[in-house]
Amino acid sequence: MSAPLPERLDPWRAVKFKAAFAGEASLRSFPRLAEAVLGTAGPARYEIRFGLDEQGQAVARGHVSMVLRMTCQRCLGEFEVSVDTPIALGLVHVRGDSDRLGLTQVEGLAGDLEPLPLGDDEPVRVLDWLEDELLLALPQVPMHPAGHCVAAVTLAASEEMVAERPRNPFAALAALQARRSGPEADEH
Ligand SMILES: [Zn+2]
């Protein structure tokens, strides 16, 4: 069993000792996310493992999932978005504190790894990384899934409007949203 994340940790020690963490975190841990959503249907669940990949690159891999309540941009009703997103970070050592967050040259990072510049021995709040991933995974246009939106029912009932509009203008967006929400969302 993996322990929950501490509030802060030394990422390089975590890599060295192949630390693995798993647990839950409430919306209170994610103030930026809290501003972007109405609420949650439960805590975030995460697991994250530190270590070196085959190329000797320091990595942090895992996933984070959370069910968030958002406002549907079509009917302004509330609906739930199930987010389940992978974490694939390549930890890049930046010496000194110049350009720590700036233009760091990162070469040879494996394809799916997102570079994360880090200082020498600065403790980091890994929950911030999870929050970033959740924010990135939110739908850009939050909407009810197809067939669940009050506005969509009204639209379909009006044959004139259906005839005037391109066929099912929301289908592409809904499909995109389902993809972005991950495979779990497709099962509903
Ligand atoms: Zn709706």
Side-chain angles (χ1 to χ4, degrees):
M1 282 297 290
S2 304
L5 279 167
E7 181 61 21
R8 287 178 185 277
L9 61 76
D10 177 344
W12 304 113
R13 274 182 67 87
V15 167
K16 186 176 175 185
F17 292 104
K18 298 185 172 64
F21 302 93
E24 297 184 343
S26 76
L27 192 57
R28 256 178 299 173
S29 302
F30 308 125
R32 287 172 294 143
L33 181 66
E35 284 184 19
V37 300
L38 296 171
T40 63
R45 294 190 173 80
Y46 63 81
E47 55 104 3
I48 185 166
R49 306 173 307 280
F50 291 80
L52 296 174
D53 68 10
E54 309 85 68
Q55 281 80 41
Q57 166 65 49
V59 296
R61 287 187 182 276
H63 77 267
V64 58
S65 63
M66 197 172 203
V67 179
L68 299 153
R69 291 188 288 113
M70 301 186 78
T71 303
C72 171
Q73 297 304 298
R74 213 182 325 168
C75 71
L76 300 182
E78 189 178 313
F79 77 113
E80 288 186 350
V81 184
S82 180
V83 170
D84 189 346
T85 187
I87 298 163
L89 300 169
L91 279 52
V92 181
H93 210 154
V94 181
R95 296 198 181 278
D97 45 22
S98 64
D99 286 334
R100 180 165 295 171
L101 301 171
L103 301 168
T104 305
Q105 285 296 322
V106 180
E107 288 169 10
L109 219 51
D112 69 324
L113 287 174
E114 184 185 331
L116 186 72
L118 291 170
D120 274 331
D121 36 37
E122 190 181 345
V124 294
R125 186 173 185 267
V126 177
L127 286 168
D128 288 343
W129 304 353
L130 303 184
E131 185 175 29
D132 289 341
E133 298 297 338
L134 289 169
L135 281 166
L136 285 171
L138 288 181
Q140 296 196 335
V141 183
M143 283 195 304
H144 279 112
H148 291 79
C149 187
V150 178
V153 170
T154 312
L155 191 68
S158 163
E159 285 187 10
E160 287 172 25
M161 288 187 73
V162 170
E164 278 173 17
R165 284 163 181 263
R167 267 185 69 211
N168 202 353
F170 300 111
L173 279 170
L176 182 67
Q177 181 189 2
R179 252 205 334 272
R180 289 176 57 87
S181 302
E184 282 182 9
D186 291 332
E187 291 166 16
H188 296 303

